[in-house]
Amino acid sequence: MAQSTAETLKTTPLIERHIAAGGRMVPFGGYNLPVQYPTGIMTEHKWTREQAGLFDVSHMGPSFLILNNPSGDAEADHAAIAAVIEPLISGDIAGLKPGQIRYTLLLNETGGALDDLMVGRSPLFGGSLYVVVNAGTKDADFARIAAAAGDRAKLTRADGDNALLALQGPEAVNVMAHIAPGAVDLGFMQYGAFDFADQKIIVARSGYTGEDGFEILVPNANATALWDALLADDRVKPVGLGARDSLRLEAGLPLYGHDLNETISPIEAGLGFAVSKRRREAADFPGAARILAEGEGGLTRVRVGLIVEGAPAREGAEILDASGTVLGVVTSGGFAPSLGKAIALGFVPPSHAANGTTLQVSVRGRAQSAQVVETPFVPHRYFRKPKAS
Amino acid sequence: MTTKFTPDHEYIRVEGATGIVGITPYAQEALGDIVFVELPSVGKVLKKGDEAAVVESVKAASEIYAPVSGTVTEVNEALTGNPGLINTDPEAEGWIYKIAIADAGEIDGLLDDAAYADLTK
């Protein structure tokens, strides 16, 4: 976490709401955001799994990448904008349907992840993509994408002028039915524009908790109105960054800068699904040589999930084999409120990565037992629509 | 019976030659939900300022230091099954360990009620 002074911290349009709700404000990604509200991380976490949690994620980097000279042919314009961003990432963007979103990776030339991000194809216009990147990397990501686009397309940042809210949990859909009724027809990883107050909001059925839910881009002028409208529903409580982290960890989702960085490839990180089939066959993404070789089994380390006996093993804790030889390191670890035990993500050689393998983690100089388990630790409950024929 | 405090937010309640050590309500509030407590072993000899225990919240681990020198005589085993006692009742049921005080003079160097209240204002 960056050490910023209060003077240089950015705020979101919801800062007054967070303070009024008793949010404990901390610097995160350059922003002043609540790590928790008075009920605490445990309660907020469980509420999200059972009802609906509301998160302010305005520190993230939403943007639009739009073709400069569209032909008016939606398919041709989509192919043209996909061709702008695909050389930077691992995903098949050309193959997206209108309104469909894909989780993908921004890669460097050696196949390391510069970021993980969401890319959506506009449901309305050809030649327009909705691109959402991480807070800590957004300036570099946007510069990289804009440079690659040159005069073919324009990247317009949507952070700053908009708030980004996440509504997550099994009741999220029933809450959204009263806010933007059309949004409940979205399937997982689809998005659309809907009316709220006097303007449009962009609603994506996506999130970072493993639950069904929505991520909503709302203009600053309407941000507090949307926040208040969502919280007016008894099923919704505000949730801070602390529970956001424990929820995503249980869901086995990587946190950029921890479980994923510029040295870690998608295959090592267990994100092979984010390297689309068409892209693999064409080998036309950065670092393809390394990533394809790793996909064939040429791996020296791979991300695993661990259930840890006893004290939580935090980031940086060494992972050992049964005889005490160091194998790797924990990249995220903590207590899983839904499971009542400590869990961790970390990297070990493939020889020690099979589910059920008993390893150890070193916590304050003592070796504790840890077992390799499948991730997610808590099953995902995304809303997937039946495939249209 | 007196209770004294450290600037690190431990309390020690002195009962004769024994001190009962825990963390203050202010500290538990700041740490949030406690999910794990690493207790010292009985018989462990501690110098003032030594790391005596560790309390873990969902997010982070925090060391609990010895307010005075001495020997651990008893630990609160109830915290193993129910670490949340530190949140719900830090000053009574959420005590962490008892220590046989080696040097009563060290007690005088700790903060009293008023000084600790000033610190956490």
Side-chain angles (χ1 to χ4, degrees):
Chain A
M1 203 181 306
Q3 290 296 309
S4 309
T5 61
E7 286 74 30
T8 61
L9 278 184
K10 295 185 191 133
T11 58
T12 79
L14 299 162
I15 176 97
E16 286 172 18
R17 291 296 190 272
H18 299 318
I19 291 168
R24 185 177 298 161
M25 307 304 287
V26 299
F28 185 81
Y31 286 76
N32 192 18
L33 286 166
V35 65
Q36 64 165 83
Y37 297 90
T39 51
I41 293 174
M42 201 86 91
T43 304
E44 292 169 24
H45 179 112
K46 289 180 176 170
W47 185 267
T48 305
R49 290 261 182 262
E50 288 159 14
Q51 301 279 336
L54 179 61
F55 305 74
D56 179 5
V57 292
S58 305
H59 56 305
M60 294 192 64
S63 67
F64 296 92
L65 183 65
I66 300 174
L67 205 61
N68 275 338
N69 297 301
S71 68
D73 174 340
E75 289 303 320
D77 289 340
H78 176 66
I81 197 69
V84 170
I85 199 165
E86 279 193 354
L88 304 177
I89 65 177
S90 60
D92 178 2
I93 301 307
L96 290 178
K97 297 184 178 73
Q100 189 187 356
I101 302 167
R102 182 152 281 157
Y103 171 81
T104 186
L105 296 155
L106 188 68
L107 297 170
N108 63 25
E109 289 308 317
T110 54
L114 295 169
D115 202 3
D116 58 344
L117 67 159
M118 300 282 205
V119 178
R121 173 177 173 177
S122 170
L124 302 174
F125 313 105
S128 175
L129 300 176
Y130 180 40
V131 179
V132 184
V133 304
N134 278 302
T137 46
K138 63 184 177 182
D139 292 341
D141 290 1
F142 290 150
R144 191 176 184 87
I145 295 168
D151 57 9
R152 293 179 292 163
K154 182 169 164 44
L155 183 99
T156 303
R157 294 178 69 138
D159 60 335
D161 293 335
N162 296 274
L164 193 61
L165 308 186
L167 181 71
Q168 299 280 296
E171 289 296 329
V173 65
N174 297 321
V175 174
M176 276 307 282
H178 299 282
I179 302 289
V184 308
D185 294 329
L186 296 168
F188 179 58
M189 297 298 265
Q190 291 182 326
Y191 81 104
F194 302 92
D195 291 318
F196 177 77
D198 56 342
Q199 294 189 65
K200 294 283 184 195
I201 53 176
I202 304 280
V203 181
R205 198 147 192 181
S206 57
Y208 196 41
T209 61
E211 298 296 327
D212 184 22
F214 302 87
E215 293 176 299
I216 311 165
L217 186 72
V218 55
N220 283 347
N222 288 333
T224 53
L226 178 59
W227 180 265
D228 293 347
L230 289 166
L231 281 175
D233 193 309
D234 288 342
R235 294 169 288 198
V236 182
K237 287 193 192 304
V239 177
L241 294 168
R244 179 171 155 84
D245 190 51
S246 55
L247 287 157
R248 73 88 196 168
L249 183 58
E250 285 186 348
L253 301 171
L255 174 60
Y256 192 81
H258 301 261
D259 312 303
L260 201 55
N261 65 38
E262 70 283 356
T263 73
I264 299 172
S265 79
I267 308 298
E268 290 176 325
L271 302 171
F273 70 89
V275 186
S276 298
K277 183 159 174 269
R278 195 196 104 232
R279 305 298 307 279
R280 283 175 197 250
E281 288 170 359
D284 63 349
F285 50 89
R290 169 189 175 188
I291 289 169
L292 293 172
E294 288 179 348
E296 297 299 313
L299 277 167
T300 58
R301 61 177 177 177
V302 64
R303 191 192 72 171
V304 292
L306 297 170
I307 289 189
V308 174
E309 300 280 331
R314 311 283 180 180
E315 182 178 3
E318 287 182 332
I319 304 173
L320 322 168
D321 68 10
S323 64
T325 304
V326 176
L327 299 173
V329 72
V330 168
T331 51
S332 279
F335 185 78
S338 304
L339 303 175
K341 48 182 113 174
I343 58 174
L345 298 175
F347 287 81
V348 298
S351 54
H352 292 75
N355 293 335
T357 307
T358 298
L359 302 175
Q360 304 186 87
V361 289
S362 177
V363 179
R364 293 182 284 276
R366 253 203 318 264
Q368 296 174 194
S369 183
Q371 191 165 52
V372 177
V373 297
E374 198 170 349
T375 57
F377 299 97
V378 172
H380 295 162
R381 297 194 290 178
Y382 302 135
F383 175 70
R384 295 182 195 275
K385 291 175 89 164
K387 276 205 192 325
S389 52
Chain B
M1 192 176 86
T2 52
T3 302
K4 291 292 189 81
F5 303 88
T6 72
D8 297 315
H9 309 286
E10 291 97 8
Y11 67 78
I12 178 165
R13 193 161 67 243
V14 182
E15 295 181 349
T18 299
I20 301 169
V21 180
I23 65 170
T24 66
Y26 175 91
Q28 73 74 22
E29 173 70 29
L31 292 174
D33 300 308
I34 306 297
V35 297
F36 187 89
V37 182
E38 192 167 299
L39 297 164
S41 27
V42 171
K44 185 169 187 178
V45 177
L46 296 168
K47 287 202 304 292
K48 178 181 161 73
D50 280 355
E51 183 182 312
V54 179
V55 298
E56 304 245 12
S57 67
V58 178
K59 276 202 82 68
S62 304
E63 290 83 19
I64 306 303
Y65 302 106
V68 296
S69 306
T71 305
V72 175
T73 58
E74 195 181 338
V75 297
N76 186 359
E77 297 288 358
L79 295 176
T80 304
N82 189 2
L85 288 173
I86 291 182
N87 294 115
T88 53
D89 196 5
E91 294 168 302
E93 283 192 66
W95 64 278
I96 298 174
Y97 66 97
K98 296 184 183 177
I99 187 168
I101 299 167
D103 175 4
E106 285 180 350
I107 298 290
D108 299 331
L110 298 174
L111 305 171
D112 62 14
D113 272 343
Y116 183 68
D118 268 353
L119 185 76
T120 54
K121 232 182 245 171

